[in-house]
Amino acid sequence: MQNAVVLALITAGVASLLALSPVARLMEEEFGLAWLFKLRGPVAAPDDVVVVALDRPSARRLGLPPQVRLWPRSLRARMVDDLARRGATAIAIDLTLETPTDLIQDGALSRSIAAARSVVLVEAMEREDLSVTDARGNPAGRMAILKAVPPIEQFAKAAVALAPFPLPKVAARTNEFWSFKEDAGDRLTLPAAALQVHASSVHALWLSRLREADVPGLETLPPDNNLLAEPGAIQRASQAVRRAYLQDPLLETRLPPLPAQLGDRERRLLAAIDRVHKGPRHHHINFYGPPATITTIPFADLIEDRDVPDLKGRAVFIGVAERTPSNLDTFYTVFTRDGVDISGVEIAATAFANMLDDTSLKIPGRPVELGLLVCFGIVMGLLAYLLPPALAIAATVLLSAGWLAAAVTLFGQSQLWLPVAVPLMVQLPIALFGGLFWQYLTTNRERRNVSQAIRYYLPEKVAANLAHSPINPGASRDLLYGTCVATDAERFTTLAEAMAPRDLAVLLDSYFAAMFDPIQRNGGTVTDVVGDGIMSVWTEPQPSREPRLRATLAALDVTKAVERFNLTSPGRPMPTRIGLHAGWIMVGNVGAKGHLAWSVVGDIPNTASRIEGLNKHLGTRMLASDAVVGDLDEVLTRRVGRFRLAGKADILDIHELMARRTDASAAQLRLAGQFVEALEVSEAGDLLKAADLFRQVLSEFPDDGPSRFHLDRCLRHSAGTAPIEDAAIVRLEMK
């Protein structure tokens, strides 16, 4: 759980850091906004605004030059007259008119503009670099300002308002507009000025309420509050009101209530112009769709009076609007398709409609945005780590899809722009990759731990197979030719009774460490550890000399290791007996009902245990069947007899392992030769002679257990106290 919390905090923290930097906003502008608009799709534009397109098809129909600036201004005059006659409430012309042309045509246009009393003309914006000096008049640097370039004087005096409309003309998308342009004197921009003209029916009520709230700067306005009667009055009124809202945050609370009988349209207009003046300067555009989504009337249709829609009560924006790829007054937006951008005049009309209905995009405050990203990151991180990989992928993808669906719904219904690029492009990959990678590391570590733990209980090869293959108990069994080595410690029961369990466990750990090393070093596999006893095995697919030799050498090394162990623990020695036998064995899983053990199955391990037990009768340490050492010249052995062990039907030739041939002493060689001679006489049935030979061996080697065993046997049988069927076979009734 701790790792899940860490991953959740990382996922949330990275997004939070991004949200506090410009990077997140750039990502949302470039990717998130485009996704939201695409998923929302085009929507119906408001009926309050219309665009008159000065386009090339109109030029061809009217026999005009392609360049709009060359069109006769008398045609524009006719257009303004017609729009005013049709009841347009505001006529915003997005064409610069700073250059005079023909006096007659300019006069006709200025008269039409003045007569309409609803025309807003755009001001061109020029950047001017100024030199800055210090208090002593020395150059101190340069600064740039935006300078408004108004239309020629007769047009400026005729229009009810002049307003700039700057938009970024860069490679990035156009996503925003301004209602007031601060570096242009905090002037109303073209769409905001058009909104003010469109709302002229409520100017008197709007200004009277502001005057009652003692808003300064309204003294210079026309006394009858008719802002359309005097050029520049709209800009002066708006700038004064804007300053008042910025300086007095409580101004809105001092405004008198609206009259109860006020109509819905008037209330809507008052709310719109109030929002413009008290709200932010900067707005994000809520595009309605691709070019011409807003009702667009070709200029030629208006001049030729062709099926022009009803314009009464609507604001009209006039400008160049082409539906073909062009760099002329067009802007790259989220709805740019096939190289066709949206014209500047349609963006102005869109901005007007956004302000009128308060549908420009709304970004949640920084605390809210951070809170959403943190919550999303925490949930995403927890799911990615706590769930299994397949479920983690499904859950995080579904959560992301749900987040995106909610964002699209709020975007379409409330114009709320929630972050989607950072959650989907940053948090989702971090959480998913981090969760899966962390799970992989955890699983891999656990697998290594389990694999390491299994290796304490199972052979290396078996443990490796379990780690990489499905477990099939029935199939995990092999018939192999193997040599089994059984060991058992003497006096263990006495030690166990005299020692505390914890001390006994420590002693056994040291004992087994001493035993396992020579077994494993010689290629053996420990298959069972029961009490103080060990069963180990050397296997090959077919009968082979090599595993028998390695098992025999391991037994010799085990004996030396036990001798060294006993020297380090003199008060608690554990002398060990060893038995070896070879043959076909079954190696694999043994068990049922969900509990299995890896073991060696067959007669061979049982017989090896019987041979190990034979050491107690013969007074030896290491015994092996002839099947193991019969042809091993590398090892000095002596045959100690033919035995039928307790509970066994087969008769085995048993040998004592004495030493490596290269390490054998002269005494061991003499002992082996003398003993074999006495054994052969005994097996031939001459028990008395054999007894004399065994006495001779014991005279030189008084501690030799096999000689003592066979001497006693010869004496018992020769005295007739124990009947004998076959002198060559020793039958044991006890283990």
Side-chain angles (χ1 to χ4, degrees), residues 556 560 622 635-639 655-661 663-665 667-673 704:
L556 293 169
K560 292 181 179 180
M622 292 180 288
V635 181
L636 175 63
T637 66
R638 61 169 169 167
R639 193 171 69 84
H655 299 253
E656 180 189 13
L657 303 182
M658 302 182 72
R660 282 180 168 84
R661 180 72 64 175
D663 298 336
S665 65
Q668 287 175 318
L669 292 172
R670 278 199 316 278
L671 172 61
D704 184 49

Side-chain angles (χ1 to χ4, degrees), residues 537-552:
V537 65
W538 284 254
T539 60
E540 290 287 345
Q542 296 296 327
S544 172
R545 184 176 184 276
E546 182 64 22
R548 293 187 285 109
L549 175 61
R550 285 189 280 117
T552 303

Side-chain angles (χ1 to χ4, degrees), residues 9 84 96 104 147 316 330 335 346 497 536 541 543 546 577 607:
L9 293 178
T96 58
I104 295 176
K147 182 180 179 182
V316 178
T330 57
F335 282 108
E346 187 167 357
E497 291 176 348
S536 54
E546 182 64 22
R577 300 183 295 266
T607 302

Side-chain angles (χ1 to χ4, degrees), residues 106-417:
D106 287 352
L109 180 55
S110 63
R111 287 191 295 273
S112 295
I113 293 173
R117 298 189 64 192
S118 59
V119 176
V120 181
L121 297 181
V122 71
E123 293 176 305
M125 300 297 296
E126 290 184 352
R127 188 181 185 90
E128 183 175 350
D129 292 330
L130 300 177
S131 297
V132 180
T133 59
D134 58 19
R136 297 181 179 180
N138 298 320
R142 301 185 66 82
M143 65 177 294
I145 62 170
L146 285 177
K147 182 180 179 182
V149 181
I152 59 176
E153 184 177 1
Q154 59 180 331
F155 295 151
K157 290 182 178 180
V160 295
L162 305 178
F165 186 52
L167 283 176
K169 183 66 173 178
V170 293
R173 293 190 184 98
T174 298
N175 293 324
E176 56 199 35
F177 70 93
W178 294 266
S179 53
F180 286 86
K181 197 69 176 84
E182 185 176 16
D183 51 2
D186 218 16
R187 294 171 62 79
L188 282 170
T189 60
L190 182 68
L195 178 60
Q196 276 288 73
V197 175
H198 180 67
S200 61
S201 62
V202 297
H203 280 174
L205 178 58
W206 179 60
L207 290 172
S208 65
R209 296 174 70 235
L210 292 169
R211 291 182 193 277
E212 287 188 42
D214 296 326
V215 172
L218 303 181
E219 301 82 8
T220 62
L221 299 181
D224 57 356
N225 290 334
N226 184 1
L227 300 181
L228 303 183
E230 184 178 315
I234 286 178
Q235 283 286 7
R236 294 201 308 275
S238 291
Q239 288 173 322
V241 175
R242 176 69 179 172
R243 284 194 301 271
Y245 273 112
L246 292 176
Q247 295 170 2
D248 184 2
L250 299 178
L251 173 59
E252 185 178 8
T253 63
R254 301 203 312 272
L255 294 175
L258 295 174
Q261 69 276 14
L262 194 65
D264 291 341
R265 184 177 185 276
E266 286 71 21
R267 290 179 182 274
R268 179 186 177 211
L269 293 174
L270 277 171
I273 58 177
D274 279 341
R275 281 193 303 270
V276 168
H277 291 84
K278 68 185 179 184
R281 298 182 179 92
H282 177 268
H283 304 265
H284 282 85
I285 307 173
N286 180 17
F287 289 100
Y288 301 108
T293 298
I294 291 179
T295 301
T296 301
I297 304 171
F299 177 74
D301 286 1
L302 193 66
I303 296 300
E304 295 174 348
D305 197 17
R306 291 190 182 181
D307 297 327
V308 176
D310 184 12
L311 299 179
K312 187 175 182 179
R314 304 169 83 174
V316 178
F317 284 76
I318 302 166
V320 177
E322 300 285 356
R323 298 192 190 182
T324 57
S326 170
N327 292 323
L328 182 62
D329 195 34
T330 57
F331 296 83
Y332 178 63
T333 71
V334 293
F335 282 108
T336 292
R337 297 291 184 274
D338 301 324
V340 179
D341 298 327
I342 295 182
S343 63
V345 68
E346 187 167 357
I347 291 178
T350 302
F352 168 90
N354 285 181
M355 290 186 289
L356 178 62
D357 292 331
D358 191 25
T359 55
S360 59
L361 302 182
K362 302 167 183 65
I363 302 176
R366 183 61 59 84
V368 174
E369 186 172 353
L370 283 174
L372 290 172
L373 292 175
V374 167
C375 292
F376 182 84
I378 289 175
V379 175
M380 185 72 71
L382 292 175
L383 290 176
Y385 184 85
L386 295 177
L387 295 178
L391 288 178
I393 294 173
T396 52
V397 170
L398 286 175
L399 178 61
S400 300
W403 176 276
L404 182 60
V408 172
T409 300
L410 291 173
F411 186 79
Q413 295 179 354
S414 304
Q415 298 79 50
L416 183 61
W417 179 9

